[in-house]
Amino acid sequence: VTDRGGRPVWQLVVGTLVAMALVAAGITAATAPVSKGSAELKPMDEATRERYREAAKEMFYHSYDSYLLHAFPKDELRPIACKGHDTHNCHGCLLTFYDALDTLVVLGNRTEFARVVKWLSIHGAAAFDRDQTVSVFETNIRVLGSLISNHMLAKREDLELMSDYNDELLTLALDLGNRLLRAYMTPTGLPWGSISLKTGPKFGETPVTATATGGTVLLEFILLSQLSGEKKFARAAEKATKALWQRRSEIGLLGSHVNVETGEWVYFDSGIGGGIDSFYEYLMKAHLLTGKSSYLEMFEEGVNAISRHVRRSDGWYVDVDMRSGSVMFPYYRSLQSFWPGLLTLWGDLDEARPLFDKFYAIWRRYGFLPEAFNLASDEPQQGLGQYPLRPELAESAFFLHRSTGDDHFRWAGAAIIDSLNTHARVQCGYAAVENVSTKVLRDHMDSYFLAETVKYLYLLFDDSAWTQDFRDPAKYIFNTEAHLLPLPKPPADEFLLGPTKKPDYTRRRKRIDRNGKYKPKKKKEKKTTEAKSEM
């Protein structure tokens, strides 16, 4: 007997007992062996690593199988009521179905991968041809990102995912990409935040959009241009990115929201949290994908401006006024938790490691990360104490462990799994935490839980040959929804850190002056005819 994912039911029963076994065996993050302090944990033994790997896998199937049984084809699952619902982000775009697809590949489930692709090849286009308003940002990173990622995975013959694959996902990606492209038809080149996939921007739609919306499309649109030969996608993405960058303040910062018709900033708060975060992420990853120095230049100048004005002297990052650098909100926001992972990709472990430990200390205090933690009052900000199953801390743990080999980050991942299984696991999946202090739950499970949170946790503990390429910084990057994107060639050596390869800042110092600005390249002087005659 098998479930809809093609797995024997006995595997479900065994998997359900994994979390209980961890506790029964006394193997939890809270009981992890400590040498001198929480940042100096002893190595994780093989048996413990394997148990947490299986626990992460079981978390996925507990949620995914429940979605198929109780929620499909709705966008997302209500894990407490065991029902489905469509979201305001996409209104029936099959978000969870798309978001979970390459996680199935990571887990090696060829049978279910092929079944889903075949279903989408028949029914997928209908979900796009509807007069429903969708979020440009969310539809791009979740749906288009998934289509491109899984198309490129399906094309890898060595993975043997589908013998009869015929570019069906690429066809859907082109359909969706052309629909999203309508959002970029503005005087500034910056996209509308929401559009109808059938008709484009709707009358009366607000022209105010988040910085992240305009700056988080480079990876998907560049790859779509490369795969299709249609340059219009990459051009639109590059135009939007440059339009944002050209509007940075005199101190090098960007605001959180801009008017796409006038190009004027609407909200001047600047930081590394929601509304801005993935703009910087995509600059760095676009450089890794294309090798273009312009993306690296923007990223490094941006990071240096953030270090000077957003980072406090105690190492915390807050929200500041983009014009002056004065503090607007003294908050640590949970969405900032991706930053140590991004700095690790850049090669800056000196900043990434201690910053991760600051964030992890908040997790250990509450068992989760609140949406915002007030650094002035040393408590979750009132009204922002929720934890909606976000992946960012697990994401940074994965990148840091990959680059250092330090099991401290695996023990952090173990703490995340323990908290989720102890407090958020319900009958049909995992429920969002409404208050990290009381652990009251909300009947909601975002699709990114299956795309990001569980995937990063699984890869953090998995050492198998099957996922070796996916974990290799020379072969793959992840979009901001953790969809796997292959690199055409390995990035520069300075970005390929590993347990036996330490950071080398030599090339970076040559590129950047002490003020964080790029040093002008010296032009070779041409000898004039007169000078030649004198010689």
Side-chain angles (χ1 to χ4, degrees), residues 57-129:
K57 181 178 181 179
E58 193 278 332
M59 288 169 67
F60 173 84
Y61 281 116
H62 174 58
S63 305
Y64 181 73
D65 292 342
S66 293
Y67 167 76
L68 293 179
L69 183 62
H70 301 291
F72 179 81
K74 298 291 186 179
D75 280 338
E76 291 177 341
L77 168 72
R78 295 196 188 279
I80 297 176
C82 298
K83 295 180 179 179
H85 72 107
D86 286 330
T87 67
H88 68 278
N89 287 325
C90 219
H91 294 286
C93 290
L94 303 159
L95 284 184
T96 299
F97 212 39
Y98 279 109
D99 254 351
L101 190 50
D102 67 329
T103 308
L104 289 169
V105 176
V106 169
L107 296 175
N109 192 335
R110 295 183 178 96
T111 302
E112 178 66 356
F113 177 84
R115 185 189 75 84
V116 173
V117 171
K118 289 177 180 177
W119 190 96
L120 290 173
S121 68
I122 299 171
H123 305 286
F128 301 155
D129 194 30

Side-chain angles (χ1 to χ4, degrees), residues 78-389:
R78 295 196 188 279
I80 297 176
C82 298
K83 295 180 179 179
H85 72 107
D86 286 330
T87 67
H88 68 278
N89 287 325
C90 219
H91 294 286
C93 290
L94 303 159
L95 284 184
T96 299
F97 212 39
Y98 279 109
D99 254 351
L101 190 50
D102 67 329
T103 308
L104 289 169
V105 176
V106 169
L107 296 175
N109 192 335
R110 295 183 178 96
T111 302
E112 178 66 356
F113 177 84
R115 185 189 75 84
V116 173
V117 171
K118 289 177 180 177
W119 190 96
L120 290 173
S121 68
I122 299 171
H123 305 286
F128 301 155
D129 194 30
R130 299 173 302 112
D131 191 17
Q132 290 283 359
T133 300
V134 304
S135 162
V136 172
F137 174 83
E138 299 292 355
T139 306
N140 173 66
I141 65 171
R142 299 194 196 197
V143 183
L144 184 60
S146 172
L147 286 168
I148 293 170
S149 170
N150 288 289
H151 163 71
M152 300 183 83
L153 288 167
K155 296 291 282 188
R156 275 190 56 174
E157 294 182 2
D158 61 315
L159 295 180
E160 298 180 343
L161 294 173
M162 291 183 68
S163 59
D164 56 347
Y165 179 69
N166 194 31
D167 294 350
E168 292 90 346
L169 298 181
L170 178 58
T171 300
L172 288 171
L174 276 168
D175 181 7
L176 181 57
N178 279 305
R179 294 172 188 274
L180 291 176
L181 201 59
R182 299 168 183 165
Y184 293 80
M185 297 176 183
T186 64
T188 60
L190 295 169
W192 293 89
S194 299
I195 62 167
S196 164
L197 287 181
K198 191 177 184 70
T199 62
K202 287 199 169 186
F203 178 78
E205 180 66 37
T206 176
V208 178
T209 192
T211 298
T213 301
T216 312
V217 72
L218 276 172
L219 302 181
E220 295 83 5
F221 273 25
I222 286 174
L223 283 170
L224 192 55
S225 283
Q226 292 176 354
L227 292 168
S228 67
E230 299 183 25
K231 297 180 180 179
K232 60 185 179 182
F233 301 108
R235 286 172 179 165
E238 290 169 355
K239 183 178 180 180
T241 299
K242 290 177 180 177
L244 288 167
W245 184 246
Q246 290 166 358
R247 287 170 170 79
R248 67 192 185 281
S249 67
E250 291 185 359
I251 60 175
L253 298 177
L254 285 75
S256 64
H257 290 77
V258 65
N259 187 308
V260 302
E261 294 182 323
T262 66
E264 298 295 322
W265 290 107
V266 178
Y267 297 114
F268 299 98
D269 52 306
S270 185
I272 57 171
I276 306 177
D277 45 5
S278 48
F279 171 78
Y280 296 106
E281 175 188 358
Y282 270 41
L283 289 177
M284 182 65 213
K285 291 181 178 179
H287 171 71
L288 298 177
L289 180 66
T290 67
K292 285 187 178 181
S293 61
S294 58
Y295 297 134
L296 183 61
E297 290 177 10
M298 286 188 279
F299 174 77
E300 292 187 333
E301 287 194 21
V303 168
N304 276 282
I306 288 168
S307 297
R308 294 194 304 274
H309 302 291
V310 176
R311 184 185 187 276
R312 302 196 319 186
S313 59
D314 61 0
W316 288 99
Y317 291 70
V318 294
D319 295 334
V320 303
D321 190 312
M322 65 174 286
R323 299 162 295 186
S324 64
S326 59
V327 175
M328 296 183 70
F329 305 105
Y331 303 159
Y332 151 60
R333 300 184 186 274
S334 65
L335 284 171
Q336 296 178 3
S337 302
F338 85 106
W339 197 250
L342 182 60
L343 292 178
T344 302
L345 275 181
W346 185 39
D348 188 0
L349 293 180
D350 292 345
E351 175 69 6
R353 295 185 68 142
L355 184 61
F356 177 88
D357 284 340
K358 287 180 178 295
F359 299 163
Y360 181 42
I362 302 296
W363 182 285
R364 289 186 69 86
R365 189 192 302 191
Y366 296 99
F368 297 105
L369 292 178
E371 286 288 79
F373 183 83
N374 192 313
L375 297 170
S377 62
D378 194 40
E379 62 185 353
Q381 175 62 23
Q382 186 175 1
L384 294 173
Q386 308 90 349
Y387 171 69
L389 307 177

Side-chain angles (χ1 to χ4, degrees), residues 2-20:
T2 63
D3 70 336
R4 293 183 66 182
R7 297 178 303 122
V9 169
W10 68 265
Q11 287 187 6
L12 297 178
V13 177
V14 172
T16 304
L17 298 175
V18 170
M20 297 171 58

